[in-house]
């Protein structure tokens, strides 16, 4: 069912899937993030401890969460390598969470298993923020993507947005497609057939009457687009390396591709990039991916402050 635009309190809420948030909730997060971008709040979370549990590699999500907590006056206890925790001795995730929650006030976790964040949230009395669970969801990335889209377009309603690349394993596109559809965006899913949007995502999009179409090449749509959301082909999630080789380097954004785009057109990418965006594009007015990563800091500050009940 489409979610109502009523605003629920954020205090002690988990952030596991974007589907758990109404349009009104999303707008509220973006509004709070805007205030953090406008000015620092150095003592807001003084005395608060974030447990940062990353069982998979991360640069942006981990560092921006940890930086966000430090910049709000709180502190961080961190696991950056699964091998250095007792999970390597066979401890279950639920037992680990039961222990870690006693040492902190809020948890951010990235884990390779789909559904692991939901499990952690069920076990933990403290709020859990999903920093990515397998190929499933990456909701805090979605909030920062929406914030970045709003920063560049001054609205979210009715935009033409292409999601390009690995839509099968690219968890950021699953959450983002859903959230954009809530705001009435027209979506273009551009991917090789083997990497198109999974059925379970499409079922959810159907329920909220999303407007979308499937394509294999971006060229015909470039003049219509407001946002081009590029993604990396997720090599590490392919069960068969030969299947990866068939699609490696399939989409590369070059200056030539940008010849007919609109003035407000912007390229976003959750990063890291491998070869999806040619370096020559970085200096064009259309590149927004580094600012997008920077926005992660403000959005994660907002989420931490909200779930701790401080704003
Ligand atoms: N966008 C993103 O999730 O980047 P990291 O994998 O570096 O956290």
């Amino acid at each position: 069912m489409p979610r109502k635009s009523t605003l629920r309190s954020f205090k002690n809420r988990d952030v596991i899937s974007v589907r758990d948030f109404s349009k009104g909730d999303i707008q509220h997060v973006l509004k709070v993030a805007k205030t953090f971008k406008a000015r620092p709040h150095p003592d807001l979370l003084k005395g608060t401890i974030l447990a940062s549990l990353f069982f998979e590699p991360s640069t942006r999500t981990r560092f921006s969460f940890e930086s966000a907590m430090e910049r709000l006056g709180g502190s961080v206890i961190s696991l950056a390598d699964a091998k250095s925790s007792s999970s390597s001795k066979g401890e279950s995730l639920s037992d680990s969470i039961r222990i870690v929650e006693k040492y902190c006030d809020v948890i951010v976790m990235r884990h390779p298993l789909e559904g692991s964040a939901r499990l952690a949230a069920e076990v933990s009395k403290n709020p859990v923020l999903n920093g990515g669970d397998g190929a499933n969801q990456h909701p805090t990335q979605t909030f920062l993507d929406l914030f970045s889209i709003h920063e560049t377009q001054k609205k979210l309603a009715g935009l033409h947005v292409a999601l390009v690349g690995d839509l099968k394993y690219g968890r950021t596109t699953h959450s983002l497609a859903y959230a954009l559809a809530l705001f009435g965006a027209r979506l273009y899913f551009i991917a090789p057939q083997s990497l198109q949007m999974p059925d379970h995502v499409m079922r959810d999009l159907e329920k909220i009457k999303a407007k979308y179409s499937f394509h294999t090449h971006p060229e015909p749509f470039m003049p219509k687009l407001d946002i081009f959301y590029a993604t990396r082909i997720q090599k590490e999630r392919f069960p068969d390396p030969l299947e990866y080789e068939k699609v490696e380097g399939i989409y590369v954004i070059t200056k030539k591709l940008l010849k007919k785009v609109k003035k407000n057109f912007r390229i976003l990418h959750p990063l890291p990039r491998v070869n999806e965006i040619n370096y020559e594009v970085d200096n064009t007015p259309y590149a927004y991916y580094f600012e997008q990563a920077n926005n992660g800091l403000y959005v994660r500050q907002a989420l931490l402050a909200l779930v701790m009940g401080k704003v």
Side-chain angles (χ1 to χ4, degrees):
M1 286 291 287
R3 296 192 174 275
K4 289 183 193 148
S5 288
T6 46
L7 181 62
R8 266 177 60 201
S9 167
F10 276 78
K11 190 173 177 183
N12 287 328
R13 264 177 98 172
D14 303 303
V15 181
I16 304 302
S17 165
V18 78
R19 288 167 190 74
D20 302 334
F21 294 87
S22 69
K23 251 173 91 170
D25 289 337
I26 294 170
Q27 284 163 329
H28 186 59
V29 174
L30 304 194
K31 203 169 112 193
V32 174
K34 189 89 179 160
T35 67
F36 283 102
K37 190 167 184 175
R39 69 177 178 88
H41 293 60
D43 293 322
L44 191 69
L45 292 187
K46 204 169 173 185
T48 307
I49 299 175
L50 169 71
S52 168
L53 308 181
F54 279 76
F55 296 91
E56 267 196 340
S58 167
T59 299
R60 279 144 291 271
T61 310
R62 182 164 81 86
F63 281 120
S64 63
F65 260 116
E66 294 183 3
S67 175
M69 182 52 99
E70 299 270 353
R71 284 175 191 270
L72 293 174
S75 52
V76 178
I77 53 175
S78 183
L79 168 73
D81 175 5
K83 292 193 199 81
S84 66
S85 82
S86 286
S87 64
S88 65
K89 299 182 214 161
E91 183 169 63
S92 69
L93 179 62
S94 55
D95 277 2
S96 296
I97 295 295
R98 270 190 194 100
I99 299 305
V100 169
E101 67 155 0
K102 294 177 176 42
Y103 304 149
C104 69
D105 303 293
V106 53
I107 296 172
V108 56
M109 185 179 85
R110 173 172 290 183
H111 196 283
L113 289 182
E114 296 182 22
S116 52
R118 187 74 72 191
L119 171 72
E122 280 164 11
V123 171
S124 174
K125 291 185 197 72
N126 297 336
V128 173
L129 301 142
N130 181 6
D133 61 328
N136 188 30
Q137 291 275 319
H138 194 351
T140 70
Q141 178 73 40
T142 299
F143 282 116
L144 86 86
D145 292 339
L146 293 172
F147 182 84
S148 299
I149 293 170
H150 194 273
E151 287 283 277
T152 64
Q153 309 294 324
K154 306 301 169 212
K155 63 175 185 175
L156 291 176
L159 296 172
H160 287 247
V161 181
L163 303 179
V164 185
D166 185 348
L167 308 184
K168 180 176 180 184
Y169 298 115
R171 58 192 169 199
T172 64
T173 63
H174 303 166
S175 307
L176 183 60
Y178 185 88
L180 283 169
L182 282 182
F183 286 92
R186 169 68 169 88
L187 302 169
Y188 302 77
F189 298 138
I190 301 175
Q193 290 219 317
S194 61
L195 295 181
Q196 264 297 355
M197 275 291 183
D199 289 345
H200 69 92
V201 177
M202 294 314 303
R203 280 195 293 275
D204 284 342
L205 291 176
E206 286 291 340
K207 283 181 203 159
I208 56 169
K209 301 193 183 341
K211 291 170 272 179
Y212 63 84
S213 51
F214 297 107
H215 309 279
T216 50
H217 292 92
E219 287 82 357
F221 312 102
M222 295 305 284
K224 282 189 193 172
L225 295 176
D226 302 298
I227 295 289
F228 188 109
Y229 190 90
T231 60
R232 177 177 67 89
I233 309 281
Q234 309 257 310
K235 184 179 182 182
E236 68 278 17
R237 302 202 194 279
F238 278 68
D240 179 353
L242 291 176
E243 288 303 308
Y244 172 73
E245 281 169 26
K246 284 186 199 162
V247 290
E248 183 184 7
I250 190 164
Y251 303 118
V252 180
I253 307 172
T254 58
K255 272 188 174 173
K256 193 170 160 217
L257 183 68
L258 305 177
K259 273 198 175 139
K260 293 185 181 160
V261 298
K262 296 194 290 190
K263 211 171 160 190
N264 65 310
F265 172 89
R266 291 293 179 274
I267 302 163
L268 271 64
H269 190 308
L271 301 177
R273 71 173 148 183
V274 181
N275 51 13
E276 307 80 50
I277 307 173
N278 199 307
Y279 285 89
E280 68 181 10
V281 174
D282 292 357
N283 294 326
T284 69
Y286 310 117
Y288 193 74
Y289 25 94
F290 294 116
E291 288 94 330
Q292 178 189 1
N294 187 41
N295 289 334
L297 184 61
Y298 310 117
V299 170
R300 287 173 175 134
Q301 282 183 334
L303 288 168
L304 288 170
L306 282 161
V307 300
M308 295 315 299
K310 296 291 183 185
V311 284

